[in-house]
C-alpha cells in the first residue's frame, strides 16, 4: 500500500509543509524522521497561520496518526507546547513518539547558541544532541527520560560532561545543584509525554501491513544533509529520502513513492556556499513577496535563482521522479528570470557539486534566461488553480516545462500561494485511482 516520502530538494524551506498538508488528506499516518525543532513548517488554514517545529505538518487534519521517529531529536517542552496549540485549535492529537528518539537537553541548546555561529545554526541544540547520540555515553533517549533510573543516568552523564559544561559556564560550582535543576524541570514533563511513547518501527510496519497509507515528512533539504549536503554548512541529520528508513525503522522496500519539493527559485538560511545567490532589487522583491524569513529564527533568507545542478543532484540522491514546484507566484512581475544549468570552476565547466565547500564557494553559475510574466493577483492565481495549468501565462508554462525536461521528472504539483486553494495538481502522485481511494 502506498507510502510516500516528501523531501526537500534544496536548502530547506521549499514549502514542504504546505505540500504535505495538501497530501495529508489522503494518508492515515504522517511521520517525522529527522531533525528537530530546527525545522519550521508553516501551514495556513482559514486565514490563520500555524508554525510547527516538531509535530508533523499534517497535524491540523483530524483523524490522522502523527509519528515522531527515532531519527528525530526531541525538545520535549516544545513538543508539549505544540500539542497544546493543536488541541486549543480544536483538533485531537493522536501521536506516537519513538522510545528511541533522542532528547534535546537544556545544555545542548546552550552549547549550540554559544558555538553554532560559524555554521549559522538555529540554536535549537540540534548538533550537540546528535553529537551525544553518536558518542553514546552522554546521550538521553526518550526511553531513558521516562525510566525510573533517569536521575542516576543524568548523574552519570553530568560526571562525563562536567568539564565541557563548566567550560561553557553552564555548570557553576555545584554539579548536584545543576542536576537537580535539570531533573526537576524535565521530570515535570514525563507524565505528559509518557502516553505517546511507543516502538515506532514496530507500529509503522504494522500500519503498513494493515494497508494504511503513510507519509514520511522530510525536514530541511537535501543540501543540508550531513553526508550529502554542503558539509560542514549542513544540519546534523540525514535529510534525504533514505533518512526515512533509518529515522523511522522502515525498510527501503516499503517506500513506494518519493516526491521532491523545490521552490521555483532558491533560498538558504545560515552560512555556506550558494552559487546562484543574488543581492539587490530582485532579491529584495523575492524576499518580501515570498515572505522569505526563517520560520524558526526569523532571519532573512538568502535568495538566488533556481539551480538545476542542485536539483539534478537532489533527484539522484533522493530518487524522486515526481516534483512539487512551489512559490511560482513569487516570480511574477520579474522582467527576466534565470536558471543555472551548470557551473564554472576555475575556468572549467562542471555539472556536479564539489565535495569541498571551499571549492563549491568558488563555482560560478552558467545561466539561461527566461522572459518573466506579468504580476498576477491572488484571486487570479486561485482562478488559474481552479481552471488548470494551461491557463497560466505562457512564459510561466515555458519556465516550468524547462525544469521538467531538464530534470526528467513529472511536475506533480505547482503551488502558487500559501493556501490549499492555491495549488495546481497535475499528477496523481499516489496513483490514487489505481489504489481505489479518492
Ligand atoms: P542546525 O540544524 O540548527 O544545526 O543548523 C545548521 C544549518 O541548517 C544552518 O545553516 C541552519 O540555518 C540550517 N537549517 C536548519 N534547519 C533548517 C530549516 O528547517 N530550514 C532551513 N535551514 C535550516
Amino acid at each position: 500500500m502506498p507510502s510516500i516520502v516528501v523531501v526537500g530538494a534544496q536548502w530547506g524551506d521549499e514549502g514542504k509543509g504546505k505540500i504535505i498538508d495538501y497530501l495529508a488528506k489522503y494518508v492515515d499516518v504522517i511521520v517525522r524522521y529527522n531533525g528537530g525543532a530546527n525545522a519550521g513548517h508553516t501551514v495556513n488554514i482559514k486565514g490563520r497561520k500555524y508554525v510547527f517545529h516538531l509535530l508533523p505538518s499534517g497535524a491540523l487534519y483530524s483523524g490522522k496518526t502523527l509519528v515522531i521517529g527515532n531519527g528525530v531529536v526531541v525538545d520535549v517542552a516544545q513538543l508539549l507546547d505544540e500539542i497544546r496549540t493543536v488541541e486549543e485549535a480544536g483538533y485531537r492529537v493522536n501521536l506516537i513518539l519513538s522510545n528511541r528518539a533522542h532528547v534535546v537537553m537544556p545544555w545542548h541548546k546552550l552549547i549550540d547558541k554559544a558555538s553554532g555561529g560559524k555554521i549559522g545554526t538555529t540554536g535549537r541544540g540540534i548538533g550537540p544532541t546528535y553529537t551525544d547520540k553518536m558518542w553514546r555515553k552522554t546521550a538521553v533517549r526518550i526511553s531513558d527520560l521516562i525510566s525510573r533510573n533517569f536521575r542516576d543516568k543524568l548523574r552519570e552523564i553530568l560526571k562525563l560532561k562536567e568539564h565541557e559544561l563548566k567550560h561553557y559556564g553552564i555548570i557553576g560550582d555545584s554539579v548536584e545543584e545543576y542536576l537537580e535543576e535539570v531533573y526537576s524541570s524535565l521530570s515535570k514533563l514525563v507524565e505528559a509525554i509518557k502516553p505517546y511513547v511507543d516502538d515506532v518501527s514496530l507500529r509503522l510496519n504494522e500500519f503498513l501491513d494493515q494497508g494504511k497509507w503513510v507519509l514520511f515528512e522530510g525536514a530541511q533539504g537535501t543540501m543540508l544533509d550531513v553526508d550529502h549536503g554542503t558539509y560542514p554548512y549542513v544540519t546534523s541529520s540525514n535529510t534525504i529520502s533514505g533518512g526515512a528508513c533509518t529515522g523511522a525503522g522502515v525498510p527501503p522496500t516499503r517506500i513506494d513513492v518519493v516526491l521532491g519539493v523545490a521552490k521555483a527559485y532558491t533560498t538558504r538560511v545560515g552560512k555556506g556556499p550558494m552559487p546562484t545567490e543574488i543581492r539587490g532589487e530582485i532579491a529584495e522583491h523575492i524576499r518580501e513577496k515570498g515572505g522569505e524569513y526563517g520560520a524558526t529564527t526569523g532571519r532573512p533568507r538568502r535568495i538566488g535563482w533556481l539551480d538545476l545542478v542542485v536539483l539534478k543532484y537532489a533527484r539522484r540522491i533522493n530518487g524522486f521522479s515526481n516534483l512539487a514546484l512551489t512559490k511560482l507566484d513569487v516570480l511574477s512581475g520579474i522582467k527576466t528570470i534565470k536558471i543555472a544549468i551548470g557551473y564554472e570552476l576555475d575556468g572549467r565547466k562542471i555539472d556536479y557539486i564539489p565535495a569541498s565547500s571551499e571549492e563549491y564557494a568558488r563555482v560560478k553559475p552558467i545561466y539561461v534566461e527566461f522572459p518573466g510574466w506579468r504580476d498576477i493577483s491572488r484571486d487570479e492565481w486561485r482562478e488559474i488553480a481552479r481552471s488548470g495549468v494551461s491557463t497560466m501565462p505562457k512564459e510561466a508554462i515555458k519556465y516550468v516545462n524547462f525544469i521538467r525536461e531538464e530534470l526528467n521528472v513529472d511536475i506533480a504539483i505547482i503551488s502558487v500561494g500559501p493556501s490549499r486553494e492555491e495549488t495546481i495538481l497535475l499528477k496523481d502522485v499516489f496513483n490514487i485511482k489505481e489504489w481505489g481511494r479518492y
Side-chain angles (χ1 to χ4, degrees), residues 13-84:
D13 310 315
E14 295 90 352
K16 297 180 292 296
K18 176 189 157 171
I19 299 298
I20 291 158
D21 180 73
Y22 189 77
L23 295 173
K25 61 176 175 281
Y26 298 111
V27 305
D28 305 297
V29 183
I30 305 159
V31 186
R32 270 284 306 267
Y33 61 81
N34 76 292
N38 49 350
H41 302 274
T42 310
V43 181
N44 289 276
I45 292 173
K46 295 186 188 130
R48 220 189 123 182
K49 191 167 136 182
Y50 296 87
V51 183
F52 299 118
H53 298 283
L54 276 162
L55 278 181
S57 307
L60 295 179
Y61 267 109
S62 37
K64 308 291 171 192
T65 302
L66 307 177
V67 176
I68 295 181
N70 54 280
V72 176
V73 289
V74 183
D75 177 336
V76 177
Q78 168 74 32
L79 176 61
L80 289 170
D81 262 2
E82 290 181 25
I83 293 173
R84 209 170 307 124

Side-chain angles (χ1 to χ4, degrees), residues 258-307:
V258 180
L259 175 69
V261 184
K263 233 177 242 188
Y265 48 94
T266 307
T267 62
R268 172 163 204 173
V269 211
K271 300 191 177 151
M274 178 183 171
T276 62
E277 182 166 18
I278 51 172
R279 292 184 180 84
E281 214 178 291
I282 296 179
E284 283 307 320
H285 170 90
I286 292 176
R287 185 175 296 117
E288 290 315 311
K289 199 162 175 178
E292 297 296 357
Y293 293 89
T296 300
T297 58
R299 290 179 284 181
R301 294 180 184 143
R302 297 157 65 190
I303 309 287
W305 298 116
L306 190 74
D307 187 333

Side-chain angles (χ1 to χ4, degrees), residues 11-14 16 37-41 112 119-128 219-221 224 232-236 268-272 296-297 299 301:
W11 276 278
D13 310 315
E14 295 90 352
K16 297 180 292 296
N38 49 350
H41 302 274
D112 195 15
I119 287 168
T121 67
T122 58
R124 298 299 180 105
I126 307 302
Q220 292 85 42
L224 289 173
Y233 303 100
V234 292
T235 189
S236 302
R268 172 163 204 173
V269 211
K271 300 191 177 151
T296 300
T297 58
R299 290 179 284 181
R301 294 180 184 143

